C-alpha cells in the first residue's frame, strides 16, 4: 500500500510488550497445534496444593496446552474455576473427558504462552498466498477498540480504518464490517422476542440471547432445560458468513466454492462455533454440505501476530473504509461488543416492531443495562406491556443467575448472556493485559470506546431496522423463498438449533 512504513520484528515485540500483548512471532508450537497435540487430555499447570488441575483435550478446537512451557503458576485454574465457574462443576474421573466451553480465558491469562488459542493464522497465510481463493475478512465490532493496543495505541481508541487497511495489506480481497451481521441478528432476535411476547410471554420465556457460543455451550451442558428459551438467531459472524457465500457470491458471479471467509474476533469460542455441524447453512442452501459458513477464525491476538510477522507498521497505516457490498452497520451493531449491548440493540428494534415508533432517547442510551456490574436489571415499556430484562456476564455469574431462574427465584422476559467478563471486549482472544487492575482498565476503555463511537451515530444510524443497505438485502434476498422451498432465505440461513450435552457430565 502507498505510504506504508514497515517496522522490525524487534521493534514490534517491544511495542507489543509495552502494551501487555505478550505475543510471539517465532511460530513456536504452530506445527503441534495444527496436528492437535498428543493423546489424552492434558492438565493445565498448577501450584502444589492448589486443588484439582483443570484439563484440556488435545483436540480442543479453540485452545491448546503446551506442557513444556507450563510454569505451574495456577493462573489458568483461577480463570477456569473462580472466574468462569467451569472446572469445579464436573468430575473428570467420572466424565473421562475435559469439559470446556472454549471461552479461552485460560489463554488470555497465561503469562507463559503455555495455553494459547489454536492458531488459524498459518492456514490464513497460505490462503492469502494462493490466488485460487477469493478471501473475505469479517471484522468484529470490538476489534476496532482493542487491536491498536498491540501496537502502542491508546486503549479504546478507534482503529477501524487502520484495521481495514491492515487486512488489505495482508492480501484480503474483501473486508466487511460485522456490525452489518449484528444488525441482521438484531432484526431476527427482536422479531423473535416480539413474537414470544405477543404469544403471551409464557412458553420459552425468558428469551435468552444466543450470539455468545461459550454461553450456548454452557447452557447445553448445565441448563439443557433452558435451550428452548434461547433465541434461534445465529451469531453475527455466522449470519454474515452464510450471506457472503450465498447472496454476495450470487450477486457478484463468484463460485462459492472458491470463497474462504476468515472472521477476526476477540473470541476463541468462535473457533469451536464454526465447527458445529449445523453451521453450514450456506452449504445446505447451495446443495454442497462441504461449504462452511465460516472457514477460519483469527483472534485479535492472531491478527496482531500476522501483522508483526509481515512487518506492517499498523500505527502508520492510512485509514481505509470497509468494502461497501454489505453496507455500514448501525450504532446498535457497534455496541454488540459490550455486555448489555446486544440487549440494548435488540430492544430498540423490538420497540419499533411493537409500537411503529422510533425508540425514545432512554432506549438509545439504555443506562440501566450499561456498565460492568455482574448483573444489571431494568424494565422497559414495549407498547402496552412492561418487559423485565437482565444482562449478565462472566461464567460464574451466569451459573448463579441461571440457577435462580431455574428455581424461579427471579423472573424476566429477556436476558442477555455473555460468557466473558465485560462481554466481547473481555474475550479470550483479546490483547493480553497483566494483572487484574490492568484488565479491568482495558475493559473499561474498550467499552467506553464502543459506546462513544455508537453514541455519535444519531438516528437513523442508531437502530438496526433503519439500516437501508440491510433492508435492501432483505427485500432482494432474505425475505424471499427459493423455488421449491417453503421457508424464507432468512430462516434457512440466519437461524440455528441447539443440543443437550448434559449426558457428557454423567
Amino acid at each position: 500500500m502507498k505510504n506504508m512504513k514497515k517496522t522490525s520484528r524487534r521493534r514490534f515485540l517491544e511495542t507489543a510488550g509495552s502494551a501487555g500483548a505478550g505475543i510471539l512471532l517465532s511460530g513456536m508450537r504452530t506445527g503441534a497445534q495444527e496436528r492437535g497435540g498428543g493423546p489424552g487430555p492434558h492438565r493445565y499447570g498448577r501450584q502444589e496444593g492448589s486443588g484439582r488441575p483443570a484439563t484440556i483435550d488435545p483436540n480442543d478446537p479453540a485452545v491448546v496446552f503446551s506442557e513444556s512451557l507450563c510454569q505451574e503458576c495456577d493462573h489458568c485454574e483461577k480463570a477456569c474455576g473462580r472466574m468462569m465457574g467451569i472446572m469445579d462443576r464436573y468430575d473428570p474421573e467420572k466424565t473421562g473427558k475435559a469439559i470446556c466451553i472454549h471461552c479461552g480465558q485460560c489463554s488470555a491469562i497465561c503469562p507463559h504462552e503455555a495455553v494459547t488459542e489454536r492458531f488459524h493464522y498459518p492456514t490464513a497465510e497460505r490462503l492469502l498466498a494462493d490466488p485460487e481463493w477469493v478471501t473475505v475478512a469479517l471484522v468484529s465490532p470490538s476489534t476496532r477498540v482493542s487491536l491498536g493496543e498491540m501496537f502502542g495505541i491508546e486503549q479504546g481508541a478507534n482503529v477501524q480504518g487502520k484495521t481495514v487497511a491492515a487486512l488489505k495489506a495482508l492480501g484480503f480481497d474483501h473486508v466487511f464490517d460485522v456490525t452489518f451481521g449484528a444488525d441482521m441478528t438484531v432484526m431476527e432476535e427482536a422479531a423473535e422476542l416480539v413474537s414470544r411476547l405477543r404469544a403471551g410471554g409464557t412458553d420459552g420465556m425468558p428469551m435468552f440471547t444466543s450470539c455468545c457460543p461459550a454461553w450456548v455451550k454452557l447452557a447445553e451442558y448445565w441448563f439443557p432445560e433452558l435451550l428452548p428459551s434461547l433465541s434461534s438467531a445465529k451469531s453475527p459472524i455466522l449470519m454474515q458468513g452464510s450471506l457472503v457465500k450465498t447472496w454476495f457470491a450470487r450477486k457478484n458471479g463468484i463460485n462459492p466454492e472458491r470463497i474462504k471467509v476468515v472472521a477476526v474476533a476477540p473470541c476463541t469460542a468462535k473457533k469451536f462455533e464454526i465447527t458445529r455441524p449445523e453451521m453450514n447453512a450456506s452449504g445446505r442452501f447451495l446443495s454442497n454440505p462441504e461449504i462452511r459458513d465460516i472457514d477460519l477464525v483469527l483472534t485479535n491476538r492472531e491478527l496482531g501476530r500476522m501483522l508483526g510477522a509481515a512487518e506492517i507498521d499498523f500505527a502508520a497505516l492510512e485509514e481505509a473504509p470497509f468494502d461497501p457490498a454489505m453496507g455500514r452497520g448501525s450504532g446498535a451493531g457497534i455496541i454488540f461488543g459490550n455486555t448489555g449491548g446486544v440487549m440494548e440493540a435488540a430492544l430498540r428494534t423490538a420497540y419499533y416492531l411493537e409500537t411503529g415508533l422510533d425508540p425514545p432517547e432512554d432506549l438509545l442510551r439504555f443506562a440501566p443495562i450499561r456498565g460492568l456490574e455482574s448483573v444489571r436489571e431494568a424494565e422497559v415499556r414495549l407498547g402496552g406491556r412492561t418487559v423485565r430484562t437482565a444482562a449478565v456476564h462472566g461464567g460464574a455469574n451466569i451459573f448463579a443467575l441461571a440457577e435462580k431462574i431455574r428455581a424461579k427465584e427471579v423472573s424476566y422476559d429477556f436476558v442477555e448472556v455473555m460468557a466473558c467478563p465485560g462481554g466481547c471486549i473481555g474475550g479470550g482472544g483479546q490483547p493480553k493485559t497483566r494483572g487484574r487492575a490492568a484488565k479491568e482498565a482495558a475493559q473499561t476503555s474498550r467499552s467506553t470506546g464502543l459506546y462513544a463511537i455508537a453514541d455519535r451515530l444519531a438516528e437513523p444510524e442508531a437502530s438496526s431496522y433503519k439500516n437501508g443497505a440491510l433492508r435492501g438485502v432483505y427485500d432482494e434476498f432474505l425475505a424471499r423463498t427459493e423455488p421449491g422451498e417453503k421457508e424464507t432465505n432468512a430462516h434457512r440461513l440466519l437461524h440455528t438449533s441447539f443440543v443437550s450435552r448434559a449426558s457428557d457430565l454423567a
Side-chain angles (χ1 to χ4, degrees):
M1 295 184 65
K2 292 182 179 180
N3 302 321
M4 184 180 72
K5 298 179 180 179
K6 294 187 177 181
T7 185
S8 68
R9 292 191 179 201
R10 175 173 293 182
R11 174 58 187 150
F12 175 77
L13 281 170
E14 290 172 352
T15 304
S18 67
I23 65 172
L24 301 174
L25 299 177
S26 63
M28 181 165 52
R29 299 185 313 285
T30 296
Q33 288 199 28
E34 291 187 317
R35 288 193 299 272
H42 294 289
R43 68 177 180 86
Y44 291 141
R46 67 184 180 98
Q47 293 178 336
E48 196 66 34
S50 65
R52 174 175 70 80
T55 54
I56 180 170
D57 191 288
N59 295 313
D60 190 296
V63 291
V64 174
F65 173 61
S66 297
E67 190 167 8
S68 63
L69 296 175
C70 179
Q71 301 298 309
E72 299 190 351
C73 68
D74 203 30
H75 286 67
C76 55
E77 274 191 82
K78 291 176 181 176
C80 187
R82 187 182 307 168
M83 181 191 300
M84 300 306 297
I86 300 299
M87 61 174 288
D88 295 330
R89 282 182 164 80
Y90 78 98
D91 182 354
E93 298 297 327
K94 183 178 179 181
T95 63
K97 65 182 70 173
I99 302 297
C100 184
I101 63 171
H102 315 293
C103 67
Q105 291 300 319
C106 53
S107 69
I109 204 171
C110 179
H112 309 294
E113 295 286 307
V115 186
T116 69
E117 62 267 65
R118 184 172 292 279
F119 295 138
H120 287 184
Y121 76 88
T123 304
E125 289 173 337
R126 290 194 291 272
L127 290 175
L128 291 169
D130 188 341
E132 174 186 352
W133 302 110
V134 177
T135 52
V136 177
L138 305 180
V139 182
S140 297
S142 69
T143 300
R144 73 199 69 209
V145 292
S146 57
L147 182 61
E149 296 170 28
M150 301 187 72
F151 302 90
I153 297 174
E154 181 184 5
Q155 287 180 339
N158 184 2
V159 294
Q160 172 182 306
K162 291 183 182 296
T163 302
V164 176
L167 289 164
K168 291 286 189 177
L170 286 173
F172 281 94
D173 297 306
H174 305 277
V175 182
F176 296 138
D177 190 353
V178 174
T179 61
F180 190 86
D183 280 343
M184 277 192 286
T185 300
V186 167
M187 295 298 294
E188 297 300 311
E189 193 170 80
E192 187 176 357
L193 174 62
V194 169
S195 176
R196 294 193 191 201
L197 290 171
R198 288 176 178 174
T202 53
D203 294 337
M205 300 298 280
M207 192 178 91
F208 294 87
T209 59
S210 56
C211 56
C212 173
W215 146 242
V216 167
K217 199 171 188 190
L218 186 154
E220 289 177 327
Y221 277 132
W222 283 281
F223 300 96
E225 72 276 15
L226 296 182
L227 295 180
S229 297
L230 268 65
S231 167
S232 64
K234 290 163 63 172
S235 67
I237 284 174
L238 271 299
M239 282 193 181
Q240 197 153 349
S242 65
L243 202 63
V244 167
K245 294 193 177 183
T246 54
W247 172 80
F248 174 75
R250 179 186 294 183
K251 192 175 183 67
N252 291 275
I254 303 172
N255 181 352
E257 296 179 1
R258 291 185 58 234
I259 297 177
K260 293 296 183 181
V261 179
V262 180
V264 179
C267 177
T268 56
K270 293 293 178 190
K271 293 175 181 284
F272 156 73
E273 184 183 29
I274 68 171
T275 69
R276 292 183 67 117
E278 60 271 21
M279 294 307 177
N280 69 336
S282 53
R284 297 193 302 273
F285 182 92
L286 297 164
S287 300
N288 183 349
E290 297 300 315
I291 295 176
R292 304 293 299 175
D293 294 337
I294 298 287
D295 298 288
L296 299 172
V297 172
L298 300 176
T299 63
N300 292 338
R301 287 198 302 267
E302 282 183 277
L303 178 55
R305 183 188 295 263
M306 286 182 70
L307 296 174
E311 298 187 326
I312 294 172
D313 189 343
F314 184 85
L317 288 172
E318 293 183 1
E319 295 189 356
F322 283 109
D323 289 330
M326 289 190 174
R328 292 178 57 186
S330 71
I334 289 173
I335 63 175
F336 253 60
N338 286 333
T339 173
V342 177
M343 170 170 289
E344 181 174 339
L347 286 174
R348 294 177 188 177
T349 292
Y351 185 92
Y352 171 77
L353 294 176
E354 187 72 335
T355 68
L357 302 173
D358 292 335
E361 182 65 24
D362 60 357
L363 267 186
L364 296 179
R365 287 167 179 77
F366 197 24
I369 292 296
R370 294 190 178 189
L372 294 174
E373 289 121 358
S374 59
V375 180
R376 285 96 61 216
E377 299 175 322
E379 292 186 348
V380 61
R381 293 290 293 177
L382 289 185
R385 61 172 60 87
T386 297
V387 177
R388 297 156 297 176
T389 68
V392 58
H393 63 111
N397 300 323
I398 293 170
F399 277 107
L401 184 64
E403 285 163 356
K404 287 182 178 180
I405 292 172
R406 178 162 57 187
K408 301 187 184 305
E409 296 176 15
V410 292
S411 177
Y412 305 106
D413 298 300
F414 188 26
V415 181
E416 184 208 281
V417 187
M418 293 284 194
C420 290
C424 301
I425 57 167
Q430 289 281 36
K432 291 189 178 184
T433 52
R434 296 189 177 101
R436 180 175 179 178
K439 183 173 184 177
E440 291 176 350
Q443 290 175 9
T444 298
S445 297
R446 296 165 187 167
S447 176
T448 301
L450 282 182
Y451 281 129
I453 297 168
D455 287 347
R456 284 195 293 269
L457 297 176
E459 288 284 11
E461 295 180 287
S463 299
S464 302
Y465 68 91
K466 288 194 173 182
N467 185 330
L470 179 58
R471 289 203 310 270
V473 175
Y474 268 93
D475 292 342
E476 177 185 331
F477 180 70
L478 288 174
R480 299 182 179 274
T481 56
E482 297 297 304
E485 292 288 338
K486 294 182 179 179
E487 294 180 325
T488 64
N489 291 337
H491 192 273
R492 296 175 66 194
L493 294 172
L494 308 184
H495 290 262
T496 188
S497 58
F498 313 105
V499 58
S500 172
R501 302 176 192 269
S503 61
D504 289 350
L505 299 173

